[in-house]
Amino acid sequence: EEGSGLGLYLCERLVLLMGGKINYESQIGVGSTFFFIIPANKVENTSSSAIMMNPLPVSRAIKSLRFYQSQKRFLVVDDSAINLQLLIKILESLKAILVVPAKDGYEALNLVENQEFDLIFMDNIMPNKNGIETTREMRKKRVVCPIVGLTGDDSQHDHQLGLDAGQDIVLKKPCSPSLIVNCLIMLGLCIEETVV
């Protein structure tokens, strides 16, 4: 049974995004083997869910994204007004995103009771109710959208706390636009298109 070829296309885009090359070997009647090479540095004690790829140049990344649905709803939770505004500005520059801000875990929990989101960015270190506790409660309430933890601490322990709580990815702040774009692509919310 033949497939649509979409899987190979997605693999090619991801490998190119990471600065690599993809190739194949094929024999009639036997089959094909696909392989890729990507540049990488050896990393010690790093979370498997942390994004360790070379980010896209910002202008190229923002101009060449296509979202799978016309309008995405993102919840951004951060007690720092500056960090909140910075992330909102990055996300809104991507156009097809409606951003809903929350200043703490309590406000975020109230918002997920009444609204559905495609993605949640969660600051892990907040007063009152931190991002780890909030994520655990959201998962107990059956919030199924991806949750991206944000932390100023890049220790393995801090990353693991977020993952154990139910976060899909944990990123170190401050987040660059290209890191956010890579995160959205990895979570399957959009795809990079070649701009000619």
Side-chain angles (χ1 to χ4, degrees):
E1 186 176 316
E2 286 189 24
S4 65
L6 182 60
L8 182 57
Y9 172 77
L10 292 174
C11 289
E12 178 188 38
R13 299 309 307 155
L14 287 171
V15 168
L16 291 174
L17 180 68
M18 293 185 279
K21 295 179 182 179
I22 191 166
N23 213 331
Y24 69 95
E25 295 172 350
S26 185
Q27 280 186 310
I28 297 173
V30 175
S32 300
T33 301
F34 294 86
F35 56 92
F36 62 91
I37 299 170
I38 57 171
N41 296 325
K42 184 176 180 181
V43 179
E44 301 288 332
N45 295 327
T46 301
S47 166
S48 60
S49 294
I51 296 179
M52 292 295 167
M53 62 180 76
N54 296 327
L56 290 168
V58 174
S59 60
R60 180 173 161 236
I62 292 175
K63 291 178 183 175
S64 62
L65 290 181
R66 180 170 52 90
F67 288 86
Y68 289 115
Q69 296 172 344
S70 59
Q71 185 78 39
K72 295 284 185 190
R73 292 177 52 82
F74 290 1
L75 175 61
V76 178
V77 187
D78 201 316
D79 63 309
S80 165
I82 293 171
N83 289 339
L84 193 62
Q85 288 305 311
L86 178 63
L87 190 52
I88 289 171
K89 190 169 186 77
I90 291 169
L91 292 170
E92 287 179 343
S93 73
L94 301 175
K95 305 299 183 220
I97 298 173
L98 173 68
V99 180
V100 177
K103 66 182 179 307
D104 62 33
Y106 291 113
E107 186 177 354
L109 287 167
N110 287 333
L111 286 167
V112 298
E113 287 284 329
N114 305 311
Q115 300 178 47
E116 289 188 19
F117 296 95
D118 297 296
L119 179 65
I120 298 170
F121 284 96
M122 179 74 65
D123 180 17
N124 282 348
I125 302 170
M126 296 184 288
N128 303 323
K129 184 174 285 294
N130 68 40
I132 303 296
E133 295 167 350
T134 305
T135 298
R136 277 195 198 102
E137 288 189 38
M138 285 182 174
R139 293 305 189 202
K140 284 180 186 172
K141 292 177 185 246
R142 307 224 187 279
V143 173
V144 296
C145 72
I147 299 176
V148 176
L150 303 170
T151 180
D153 181 3
D154 60 355
S155 72
Q156 172 69 20
H157 177 71
D158 197 57
H159 278 52
Q160 196 60 50
L161 283 174
L163 298 173
D164 291 345
Q167 294 174 348
D168 298 88
I169 296 173
V170 177
L171 301 178
K172 184 176 184 317
K173 295 193 294 185
C175 297
S176 67
S178 52
L179 184 62
I180 297 298
V181 167
N182 286 341
C183 179
L184 298 178
I185 291 170
M186 286 199 54
L187 291 170
L189 295 170
C190 61
I191 188 167
E192 180 204 9
E193 292 186 323
T194 304
V195 178
V196 185

